[in-house]
Amino acid sequence: MRPISAILQYASALAEPAIVHRSTLVLLAALALGTALVVWRARGRTRLVDALRDATRFLRPKYLLLALLVVVIWLAHVALPTEVPAKLLDVSWNAALPRAAAQDLRAGVDYIFTYGPLGLFATDAYYAPLFDFRLVACEGVLKLGLVLLLARLGLRMGSTLDRILFFGVLLFPTVIDAFAYLSILAVGVLLLDRERLASVGTVLGLAAVATLSLVKFSFLPPAILCVVVVAVLASSGVSRASGPAIAGTFAVLLLLFWWVGGQELRDLPTWFRRSIDVSSGYGEACASSSPQGTRLPAFVLIVLFALQAWRSFRARPRSLPQRAAALLAIPILWVSFKAGFVRAADHTPMFFGFTLVAAFVFAVGGTRDRVGTICRAACVVVSMIGLTASVQGAFTWMDRFRYTQYLIRLNAERLADPGRQREMCERTLAAARSRNALPRIRAIVGDRPIDMVSYRQGVLFLNDLRWTPRPVFQGYLTFTPELMEINAQFLRSERASEFILFCPETIDHRLLSMDDALALQVIARDYELVLAENDYLLLRRNPRGRPERAPEVQIEKEVAFGEDFDLSGLQGTCHVAKIDIAPSLWGRARTFLEKAPALFATIELDSGATRTVRIVPGMLRAGVLIDPFLDTDRDWARWYTAGAIHRPVRMRIEKPASPSMYGDRIRVQVLRTDELTPRTRPELAAEAMFSQFKTFPADATTSAPVTSAVMRRQDVLLVTAPSELSFDVAPGRHTLSGRFGILPSDWQPGGADFSAVLRSPGREDVVVFHVHVDPTRRELDQRLKYLKVEFEAPGPARLLLRTDPGPGNEPPSLATVWTAVAID
């Protein structure tokens, strides 16, 4: 009954978004066309028995074994939708993609991201309305089709050893990026390995490439290159008509799948242009260092690929597949290198997953070649070394074998009973909803539109709020002034969401006010604070209109790298800085070829403290809030509640690691923008600062500004030790409850002390509870610990929650946290 149930579930999904409607129409049309083709191919048969005899040849043992191998490889690469929304960055944008499809949002217009309208195919996010569709369309049709395509590639290799190695490494699961690049490369080689290009196989290969092109923008350039190379080589080596036909078929399929994805055809150029804006800024804004031991394997692999491409060019006789492999492998290798080594801290498996298999395209269409086989075997070994180094030795070769076996077995069990998998996801989702519930915010917002300034969109989805995002919904991707202005214009328009869930945060220790800088300025001016709940501020739109006068320029000068410029004499309450750091010609070339080294700025505050933050030249040119210095989400809470905020007195752009990347001078302009100062709500100060608590303190004394953090998926308040939070308590019996602990980033041998002290006038202090926490010595202390004690106040009193550095000579922990504190 399971297949029938799955068909019924899929049919019930037809009432969902346009992507399901249109894909169903195309699938039905394809089935009708395929049936007609089979009938047409069989019309010349004199007897039906002849046709059946041709079909039964696939029941021979070798074909059955091959089919079994294909199924096992497919199970190793299946990624079922199992991940429920959460407040984490990657989980949030993964959850956003299927919802964008379900809401029929226009790619490049309503949302701008690195993925396209079929981006939900690249995620394992669980979204109930699209669960069946994604299971059938992505894992069933697309993924299985790509595995069949790669199996066909393996069968066309001339060497038995090449085939064994190829199918062996193909069993290892890889990230979707590596699998997509490999599939595009395989299509380019296989299309030219056919006797007739005008066939169903050619159309299916081009359909796979067109589909991948709309999954993620970084797949589109290799796809276009693949089609161009195949078209040119086909025109020169097969027939003059083949090349234009191939290019035209790809273009038609691309437009068709764009429409299938629920998009309007007129939006395709806009998506292309804005995706280029995002991707071109990635090498400057998101670059990170690669794990130790990955650079050398990458260099060796590039040399091995170049050697094989050179040998393919010099081979005699040289077949069309060999020429295609030589022309395609190196450019796609470079794209995969960029994907893996720009944000290299966690993306290098994209490159090594591609090189693990991709070298085998050189074995198609040629004769047996011992040197080539050795090169390909070397690529396998070096890629495995790179993959192991990518996780710093925590995942050995044997671990990878065991993980592959486990994944195949797990996916087989899940596919055998998708209903049970859905039930498990629903239970996990219910638990996540409970942990991240925002009942007060839900009561106010209701079904009205809401956006989120944070990378935690998963919180909106868990609370069933009506997500209406500004176009670049992940603010850290606004790499250029143009992308920033798109978001700012949206917020100024009537299309803007009535509410914003506000919890500004950034990545890579960037200057916080730099991400989505222009949108933040509109929000400060046009949105006012309503309430705070569980670490989030709820803002409501109340536009004040744009100022009549242009901002006053208070500083305009040129400085050098490492040179301080004074900000202490600024007049007014709010200032925006526009900083132009122009790249050199070499800097542009290096960023294009690989990435740019990180730039940093040091800011000295009126408190005497200094902050060193990462900056992105393209984002600074738009203008960022620099005064007051809003370093954390709690600084924004203080700004909205008239609290004290530090102001900058001095700033400098640190000298870059590669001075030749930039010009000698930096242009700095500081503008007075008092109109951006928000309308304050001082009465909400305690609620905004301690929104994770159920009972708000009357006073707080901490060693560093209070800020929010996440520990064990729980929102916590970071109160650096020594600290003291004071609560007013009435006479009578009370229960103190909450959770506390030490952030994992600050686990030190000395630990920290947590205590609660009752202070009554005229009486000695009473220690209500005291505990020493040391995560380095006790595993239980690595978790958030529960607190629940009863106490009695003889009269009006104060309860002091204290954290102190651990005793002794060992270095103590200072990053102490509290959450869910309540006094009943």
Side-chain angles (χ1 to χ4, degrees):
M1 292 296 293
R2 287 173 185 162
I4 297 176
S5 175
I7 292 172
L8 292 175
Q9 289 176 358
Y10 179 69
S12 68
L14 296 182
E16 295 302 332
I19 186 174
V20 179
H21 281 290
R22 295 174 177 178
S23 61
T24 303
L25 290 174
V26 171
L27 181 60
L28 292 174
L31 288 173
L33 182 63
T35 303
L37 182 62
V38 169
V39 173
W40 180 79
R41 292 286 297 272
R43 65 178 180 172
R45 304 291 184 182
T46 57
R47 291 184 303 170
L48 181 61
V49 177
D50 294 336
L52 293 175
R53 185 181 298 114
D54 289 344
T56 56
R57 67 188 180 91
F58 292 105
L59 298 178
R60 297 173 186 172
K62 66 175 183 179
Y63 289 113
L64 292 176
L65 288 174
L66 178 62
L68 178 61
L69 179 59
V70 167
V71 170
V72 171
I73 293 172
W74 173 59
L75 289 174
H77 291 275
V78 163
L80 295 180
T82 58
E83 187 178 73
V84 301
K87 62 185 65 174
L88 303 175
L89 186 153
D90 289 337
V91 178
S92 288
W93 66 252
N94 270 278
L97 292 177
R99 283 161 177 82
Q103 295 177 213
D104 296 329
L105 298 183
R106 297 157 61 192
V109 179
D110 295 330
Y111 73 99
I112 301 171
F113 197 55
T114 53
Y115 287 76
L118 302 182
L120 75 161
F121 285 1
T123 78
D124 55 358
Y126 172 74
Y127 181 53
L130 291 177
F131 178 83
D132 300 305
F133 169 75
R134 191 191 174 295
L135 201 63
V136 174
C138 180
E139 305 307 323
V141 177
L142 179 61
K143 192 71 68 69
L144 182 57
L146 294 177
V147 171
L148 287 169
L149 183 150
L150 293 173
R152 171 72 176 175
L153 183 77
L155 294 176
R156 298 301 298 166
M157 296 175 187
S159 166
T160 302
L161 180 57
D162 278 324
R163 288 196 295 271
I164 293 173
L165 287 174
F166 174 78
F167 282 107
V169 296
L170 198 58
L171 278 168
F172 288 110
T174 60
V175 293
I176 183 62
D177 299 68
F179 194 71
Y181 295 136
L182 175 64
S183 300
I184 293 170
L185 178 58
V187 168
V189 173
L190 283 177
L191 287 183
L192 293 170
D193 193 44
R194 305 182 62 84
E195 295 180 359
R196 294 186 304 108
L197 287 176
S199 65
V200 176
T202 300
V203 175
L204 292 177
L206 292 173
V209 172
T211 302
L212 292 173
S213 301
L214 299 180
V215 170
K216 190 174 183 180
F217 180 73
S218 59
F219 301 162
L220 181 58
I224 294 175
L225 173 67
C226 169
V227 172
V228 169
V229 168
V230 171
V232 171
L233 292 180
S235 297
S236 62
V238 180
S239 70
R240 292 292 178 182
S242 298
I246 287 172
T249 302
F250 173 76
V252 169
L253 289 170
L254 190 70
L255 293 174
L256 175 63
F257 294 152
W258 178 264
W259 176 80
V260 166
Q263 305 299 305
E264 299 180 21
L265 295 179
R266 60 189 173 94
D267 292 335
L268 183 57
T270 304
W271 172 71
F272 186 82
R273 184 178 68 254
R274 290 177 175 173
S275 296
I276 288 178
D277 290 340
V278 173
S279 60
S280 61
Y282 215 86
E284 179 183 70
C286 290
S288 62
S289 300
S290 57
Q292 186 177 2
T294 57
R295 302 288 292 189
L296 180 58
F299 174 76
V300 172
L301 285 165
I302 291 172
V303 171
L304 288 172
F305 268 74
L307 174 62
Q308 292 178 87
W310 176 75
R311 295 184 79 252
S312 293
F313 267 120
R314 291 181 57 86
R316 293 292 185 270
R318 187 168 64 242
S319 65
L320 285 178
Q322 284 182 303
R323 293 166 66 187
L327 290 171
L328 289 173
I330 299 302
I332 298 179
L333 179 73
W334 172 72
V335 174
S336 70
F337 176 79
K338 287 273 290 185
F341 278 85
V342 170
R343 192 160 185 79
D346 55 353
H347 284 187
T348 50
M350 294 180 184
F351 175 75
F352 293 116
F354 171 74
T355 58
L356 184 67
V357 188
F360 290 95
V361 297
F362 295 106
V364 177
T367 58
R368 295 185 180 182
D369 178 10
R370 183 177 299 178
V371 175
T373 301
I374 292 173
C375 285
R376 290 184 280 277
C379 286
V380 171
V381 174
V382 177
S383 297
M384 290 294 287
I385 293 173
L387 285 169
T388 303
S390 296
V391 288
Q392 294 296 294
F395 204 58
T396 65
W397 292 25
M398 289 306 301
D399 291 334
R400 196 167 296 278
F401 278 110
R402 285 190 288 266
Y403 175 69
T404 300
Q405 296 173 14
Y406 163 77
L407 193 62
I408 292 170
R409 184 175 65 254
L410 179 65
N411 284 332
E413 293 172 356
R414 288 173 171 176
L415 287 168
D417 192 354
R420 182 170 176 268
Q421 181 61 39
R422 181 197 283 268
E423 292 173 2
M424 291 175 60
C425 289
E426 287 294 338
R427 287 196 296 270
T428 306
L429 182 60
R433 291 183 192 278
S434 176
R435 288 195 305 268
N436 294 276
L438 302 173
R440 295 174 62 207
I441 289 175
R442 283 204 308 265
I444 292 177
V445 176
D447 191 43
R448 286 172 287 184
I450 185 170
D451 191 5
M452 188 165 197
V453 174
S454 172
Y455 51 64
R456 305 185 191 181
Q457 286 79 17
V459 175
L460 292 181
F461 308 142
L462 290 171
N463 285 274
D464 294 322
L465 296 170
R466 184 181 160 196
W467 181 50
T468 308
R470 61 202 186 285
V472 190
F473 64 91
Q474 293 279 21
Y476 64 87
L477 291 175
T478 53
F479 299 144
T480 65
E482 292 75 21
L483 290 171
M484 289 189 179
E485 184 58 33
I486 291 172
N487 275 1
Q489 286 181 357
F490 176 85
L491 292 174
R492 296 189 200 108
S493 72
E494 294 305 314
R495 297 180 297 130
S497 297
E498 181 180 353
F499 293 97
I500 287 179
L501 198 59
F502 195 73
C503 181
E505 53 196 336
T506 187
I507 62 173
D508 302 336
H509 305 290
R510 290 184 188 171
L511 177 65
L512 181 63
S513 58
M514 184 180 67
D515 288 1
D516 216 355
L518 299 185
L520 289 177
Q521 294 167 38
V522 176
I523 290 168
R525 184 185 65 234
D526 291 345
Y527 283 78
E528 57 187 9
L529 179 62
V530 177
L531 61 82
E533 184 178 18
N534 288 4
D535 205 26
Y536 306 103
L537 304 181
L538 180 65
L539 309 180
R540 174 181 282 158
R541 190 169 187 259
N542 185 10
R544 285 189 285 184
R546 304 185 72 172
E548 297 180 358
R549 294 183 300 175
E552 175 191 347
V553 179
Q554 294 201 340
I555 296 177
E556 188 164 17
K557 61 189 300 186
E558 287 190 351
V559 298
F561 285 103
E563 177 184 346
D564 290 345
F565 51 93
D566 188 21
L567 300 172
S568 59
L570 296 176
Q571 302 297 316
T573 59
C574 183
H575 296 86
V576 166
K578 294 184 177 181
I579 302 175
D580 187 3
I581 306 174
S584 64
L585 182 61
W586 162 242
R588 294 178 188 274
R590 178 175 171 180
T591 303
F592 174 77
L593 292 172
E594 186 190 3
K595 60 187 175 185
L599 273 179
F600 296 91
T602 298
I603 301 171
E604 183 179 336
L605 307 179
D606 54 8
S607 64
T610 59
R611 299 284 189 274
T612 299
V613 291
R614 182 171 177 176
I615 56 174
V616 179
M619 303 173 84
L620 289 178
R621 281 192 286 273
V624 301
L625 276 169
I626 196 67
D627 177 33
F629 186 66
L630 304 171
D631 191 32
T632 67
D633 61 326
R634 283 301 178 268
D635 288 333
W636 280 90
R638 292 185 187 94
W639 203 27
Y640 266 103
T641 57
I645 313 173
H646 294 304
R647 303 188 66 172
V649 296
R650 196 168 290 103
M651 182 176 180
R652 69 174 176 272
I653 310 299
E654 300 293 352
K655 294 181 179 179
S658 300
S660 59
M661 292 283 296
Y662 305 98
D664 295 331
R665 307 297 292 174
I666 303 169
R667 186 172 179 271
V668 178
Q669 188 181 62
V670 180
L671 309 173
R672 180 174 177 174
T673 53
D674 292 350
E675 70 278 0
L676 299 183
T677 304
R679 288 158 288 195
T680 57
R681 298 283 304 276
E683 70 276 15
L684 297 178
E687 180 178 310
M689 291 301 299
F690 299 96
S691 59
Q692 300 97 331
F693 289 8
K694 298 177 181 178
T695 303
F696 304 135
D699 193 15
T701 304
T702 60
S703 304
V706 173
T707 186
S708 60
V710 176
M711 180 175 175
R712 299 272 181 166
R713 296 193 175 187
Q714 179 79 37
D715 290 321
V716 295
L717 198 71
L718 173 60
V719 284
T720 305
S723 69
E724 184 176 275
L725 306 179
S726 303
F727 298 81
D728 292 326
V729 293
R733 295 191 64 81
H734 301 275
T735 300
L736 169 66
S737 61
R739 301 183 73 180
F740 61 95
I742 300 174
L743 283 183
S745 58
D746 192 36
W747 287 348
Q748 302 289 345
D753 289 327
F754 294 78
S755 60
V757 177
L758 183 65
R759 178 170 291 170
S760 303
R763 296 174 179 266
E764 292 187 1
D765 291 351
V766 176
V767 178
V768 174
F769 108 100
H770 175 271
V771 64
H772 177 68
V773 176
D774 189 349
T776 65
R777 289 196 169 96
R778 290 186 296 273
E779 185 177 350
L780 285 176
D781 288 352
Q782 296 177 5
R783 309 173 184 176
L784 278 171
K785 300 176 72 68
Y786 285 90
L787 161 67
K788 189 171 184 179
V789 295
E790 294 184 351
F791 66 94
E792 184 171 0
R798 278 208 161 187
L799 185 71
L800 310 178
L801 281 186
R802 291 174 173 169
T803 63
D804 294 288
N809 298 323
E810 294 179 304
S813 298
L814 303 178
T816 53
V817 300
W818 296 94
T819 190
V821 172
I823 301 176
D824 301 320

